[in-house]
Amino acid sequence: MDIKCEDVNHLADLSDFSLSKKQADALKDDLQSIIKYISQLDEMDTKNVEPTYQVFEMENVWRDDEILPQQADREDLLALAKKTENHQIKVPKVL
Amino acid sequence: MKTANKTVSAERLVKDALEKAKFFADYHIFTYLNEEGALKKAREIDAKIKKGEKVGRLAGVPYVLKDNFLSPEGETTASAHILQGFNSPVTATAVKKLEDEGAIMIGRTNMDAFAHGSSTENSYFGPTSNACDKERVAGGSSGGSAVAVALDIVEFATGTDTGGSIRQPASFNGVYGFKPTFGTISRYGVVAMASSTDCIGFFTKTPEDMDLLMSIASGQDPKDLTTLPDYYNNAGEPAQVPLGHAVAPARRHGGRAASTSVVTCGDPQVNLRSARIGIIKDFDNESVDPEIRQALKKKCDELKKNGHEIVELSMPNLKYALAAYYIIVPAEIASNLSRYDGVRYGFRSENSKDLEALYANTRDEGFMPENKRRIMIGNFVLSSGFYDAYFLKAAKARTLIIEEYKKAFSKCDFILTPVSPNLAFKLGEKVNDPVSMYLEDVMSVPLNLAGIPGLTIPVGKSKEGLAIGLQLIGPRRSDKSLIEFAKELA
């Protein structure tokens, strides 16, 4: 399939990127060549084949619903944020 | 592994390693040197030795950490701008296990940002040079770790392998590099790339050291529910599974599973003195460097001479593994990397007028071009209208690739292949052409899709003096015998 400028902008939107026109143009060509490459899977006959999503040999791995000792507390985690106020993370206006 | 004792102090070992790290500064191996922290730990171990207290199996052994392992020592950045300033309060389980045995981290190593790449050129800090030729790439994504071991700065390094990121740089620099069976080593505290293929592993100079590290790091972790029971240290024995149960198609249901389910720990017994080694004839063609083909042929002749059997395999579906990989992995990347938004940790773009702009600007400025390509491809293959044609198709291809390996391992014990089609290439040669960079991974990614182990073994140098490595592959949970077999070959 052909990747158009609108497609790049749509994908940038889904990906939460604010791309410059120059970046978007470069990405358009890159994405086009990658999609061309991965499209070769079309050649493969996958009729009646079940998909595989994980290669771990177990499923339904449970643990008790209890709080385990943690290596970091609230203050440690808040200290990682660029801006905080009154023990909360500060961000620019939402609306 | 040279450990500290009464005659050789941990402080001496650490000082030597730090000196070498500084001597090779122009290779750009490190994103952080842990001088003070390492020396402090060394002195603590020396004090224990002096008092005659028990010390671990890695007492005073200096090592380096790929920059995507969380620990409070130095910033954990995954060599990405968006994680600049991230001082982790958390220590990865793998790091904790090594340090509990007395290993001392002397530095963090450079990598492709978020492990997206095969050359370590996609790092925010710039590229690392190859140990054999400074004008060439280190391989990647764990390039810094591979070069640190190859240049003898340390005896071992950690790495992560999602599609070849340990095995290919090991091959490019002439050291051992191991990607275990999926689920062998806890990934708690390691920056996630693609959750269904990410594996933790190591670089070493010998298979004996690899064996020691695997026996220390393997095992189930309550903080990572995708870890297998410790089959590595219990080879051949059935294991009681305390968490979860083995996948049995007839019994797929919710609810708590019986805690007595059994996963067979070891692999079928292999006679390491006369093993059946598979050679994939589909990989033996002009696209592979003639010196690598020559090295493989020479190794096969040697194996035959030593009483092993060479079995020729046809695996036609493997050629589709790379396309399937570059659908599945970007999809998982798009999901895993959606967490980086500049709010809770790491880099935040200033001067954004509102929250939406803060997310978009932070992600735009914070990610490398290759991170963006992969995130966008991931969102493409997952988006409505394309999901069936790409993601679902790739998931089905994955099934066929797994079946192809199963069939192959009914005819042989191990498979021996090149690690990548070429030797270390020149810096800058492929960095602007994503597809040619992806083709680097054509022989390494099938293992990650199948979850099976692969060990790079160094086999010599090319005419130009570049390292050549081969990849020894085994079925699921054959890790112990794979490394034992490598000892036989060394």
Side-chain angles (χ1 to χ4, degrees):
Chain A
M1 73 168 276
D2 276 337
I3 297 292
K4 297 185 220 51
C5 284
E6 305 94 88
D7 300 320
V8 176
N9 292 334
H10 175 60
L11 289 174
D13 210 32
L14 289 176
S15 309
D16 246 330
F17 297 145
S18 63
L19 298 180
S20 66
K21 173 86 174 69
K22 200 177 149 209
Q23 276 195 78
D25 285 344
L27 277 163
K28 182 173 156 277
D29 295 341
D30 291 344
L31 299 184
Q32 183 70 69
S33 64
I34 296 166
I35 289 166
K36 189 179 161 217
Y37 183 82
I38 59 180
S39 297
Q40 65 172 282
L41 275 193
D42 291 348
E43 294 168 19
M44 225 177 172
D45 180 8
T46 52
K47 213 164 57 193
N48 302 323
V49 176
E50 287 291 315
T52 298
Y53 299 111
Q54 59 110 326
V55 290
F56 190 53
E57 292 160 280
M58 299 191 290
E59 61 182 26
N60 296 337
V61 179
W62 303 92
R63 64 168 176 78
D64 291 331
D65 186 15
E66 59 183 18
I67 299 169
L68 300 169
Q70 298 295 308
Q71 295 178 18
D73 62 22
R74 183 188 165 94
E75 293 309 312
D76 291 334
L77 297 176
L78 278 170
L80 297 173
K82 271 278 177 316
K83 284 184 184 156
T84 54
E85 203 175 294
N86 295 332
H87 305 286
Q88 295 180 65
I89 295 172
K90 195 176 173 185
V91 293
K93 68 178 168 107
V94 177
L95 286 171
Chain B
M1 207 90 71
K2 203 196 287 167
T3 53
N5 53 45
K6 280 196 167 133
T7 48
V8 183
S9 69
E11 189 173 348
R12 183 72 268 152
L13 293 175
V14 166
K15 277 186 172 163
D16 284 351
L18 286 167
E19 244 165 65
K20 281 187 265 181
K22 287 178 192 164
F23 179 79
F24 290 116
D26 53 344
Y27 283 79
H28 303 291
I29 297 165
F30 293 94
T31 59
Y32 170 76
L33 263 191
N34 184 31
E35 289 189 71
E36 267 178 48
L39 285 168
K40 186 169 165 270
K41 276 205 179 133
R43 288 182 197 120
E44 285 166 13
I45 287 175
D46 286 334
K48 274 192 184 171
I49 293 173
K50 209 170 160 194
K51 279 191 244 163
E53 285 174 29
K54 193 176 176 295
V55 287
R57 286 178 282 176
L58 300 172
V61 178
Y63 77 102
V64 294
L65 206 55
K66 187 178 181 182
D67 195 24
N68 55 353
F69 285 73
L70 271 58
S71 91
E73 294 175 298
E75 290 178 6
T76 302
T77 72
S79 298
H81 187 201
I82 208 164
L83 276 171
Q84 300 303 299
F86 176 55
N87 287 296
S88 170
V90 165
T91 302
T93 298
V95 174
K96 191 172 180 310
K97 284 186 168 183
L98 297 170
E99 306 218 336
D100 284 350
E101 292 287 347
I104 299 174
M105 191 271 274
I106 65 142
R108 296 181 157 277
T109 58
N110 198 18
M111 56 186 279
D112 289 295
F114 287 109
H116 301 174
S118 313
S119 68
T120 311
E121 290 168 291
N122 293 330
S123 163
Y124 179 64
F125 302 103
T128 296
S129 284
N130 187 283
C132 307
D133 179 349
K134 266 194 212 168
E135 303 300 312
R136 289 177 187 269
V137 299
S141 66
S142 319
S145 283
V147 177
V149 174
L151 292 176
D152 270 326
I153 295 171
V154 285
E155 285 191 275
F156 80 92
T158 69
T160 56
D161 190 315
T162 301
S165 283
I166 289 175
R167 288 161 286 147
Q168 185 252 28
S171 168
F172 277 15
N173 293 283
V175 297
Y176 286 85
F178 186 50
K179 171 230 167 310
T181 296
F182 182 84
T184 304
I185 300 177
S186 167
R187 301 181 291 179
Y188 175 77
V190 177
V191 177
M193 176 176 163
S195 305
S196 85
T197 63
D198 285 347
C199 282
I200 311 289
F202 300 102
F203 295 91
T204 62
K205 275 282 169 80
T206 67
E208 285 78 10
D209 286 350
M210 193 65 79
D211 186 22
L212 175 62
L213 294 170
M214 285 305 298
S215 70
I216 290 168
S218 300
Q220 214 153 23
D221 178 6
K223 288 176 175 161
D224 175 0
L225 297 181
T226 58
T227 41
L228 292 164
D230 184 7
Y231 66 87
Y232 192 88
N233 290 300
N234 301 287
E237 287 171 37
Q240 301 303 309
V241 183
L243 299 169
H245 63 87
V247 176
R251 252 189 94 229
R252 281 178 203 272
H253 59 75
R256 179 174 290 271
S259 61
T260 49
S261 309
V262 170
V263 163
T264 314
C265 254
D267 43 294
Q269 288 296 307
V270 179
N271 182 349
L272 298 178
R273 292 284 155 84
S274 104
R276 298 167 301 159
I277 312 297
I279 302 293
I280 305 175
K281 68 173 196 237
D282 312 72
F283 281 171
D284 190 25
N285 58 48
E286 256 98 76
S287 69
V288 183
D289 185 288
E291 291 198 74
I292 298 175
R293 290 169 78 184
Q294 189 60 35
L296 179 60
K297 197 178 167 296
K298 202 176 136 207
K299 199 59 172 179
C300 287
D301 292 343
E302 200 183 299
L303 285 165
K304 269 192 262 183
K305 220 172 75 192
N306 292 331
H308 304 290
E309 186 192 341
I310 302 295
V311 183
E312 209 172 78
L313 303 167
S314 168
M315 301 180 73
N317 282 329
L318 287 194
K319 70 169 177 285
Y320 297 110
L322 191 70
Y325 177 89
Y326 275 100
I327 292 169
I328 292 166
V329 165
E332 296 183 18
I333 286 171
S335 165
N336 274 328
L337 271 63
S338 65
R339 74 187 72 178
Y340 301 105
D341 56 13
V343 172
R344 290 153 301 157
Y345 46 79
F347 165 77
R348 177 190 284 198
S349 174
E350 298 299 336
N351 303 323
S352 299
K353 62 177 184 349
D354 57 27
L355 188 61
E356 287 295 324
L358 181 138
Y359 296 153
N361 293 339
T362 298
R363 289 168 66 81
D364 183 42
E365 293 165 41
F367 284 126
M368 301 291 285
E370 181 59 20
N371 304 138
K372 290 181 191 167
R373 286 180 204 122
R374 295 195 187 196
I375 291 169
M376 289 171 80
I377 287 289
N379 282 324
F380 170 77
V381 299
L382 290 173
S383 55
S384 75
F386 299 111
Y387 180 91
D388 284 3
Y390 291 94
F391 190 75
L392 186 62
K393 181 83 180 177
K396 290 178 177 177
R398 190 175 192 173
T399 305
L400 294 176
I401 289 159
I402 292 168
E403 282 170 5
E404 199 155 84
Y405 275 117
K406 273 191 190 145
K407 218 169 88 193
F409 284 121
S410 68
K411 296 179 195 143
C412 64
D413 302 310
F414 305 115
I415 300 174
L416 190 65
T417 73
V419 182
S420 77
N422 47 261
L423 303 166
F425 45 93
K426 291 255 166 67
L427 285 160
E429 194 181 316
K430 298 187 180 188
V431 75
N432 293 319
D433 180 355
V435 172
S436 89
M437 189 69 90
Y438 294 175
L439 286 167
E440 264 307 295
D441 306 337
V442 68
M443 292 162 174
S444 53
V445 298
L447 282 71
N448 298 75
L449 291 180
I452 57 178
L455 175 69
T456 289
I457 52 173
V459 293
K461 292 271 173 82
S462 73
K463 282 188 218 103
E464 271 188 279
L466 301 175
I468 305 178
L470 295 174
Q471 178 175 227
L472 195 60
I473 306 164
R476 216 179 273 266
R477 284 178 280 107
S478 67
D479 304 42
K480 177 76 179 172
S481 46
L482 198 62
I483 291 173
E484 290 300 328
F485 189 61
K487 290 182 191 173
E488 292 280 321
L489 298 187

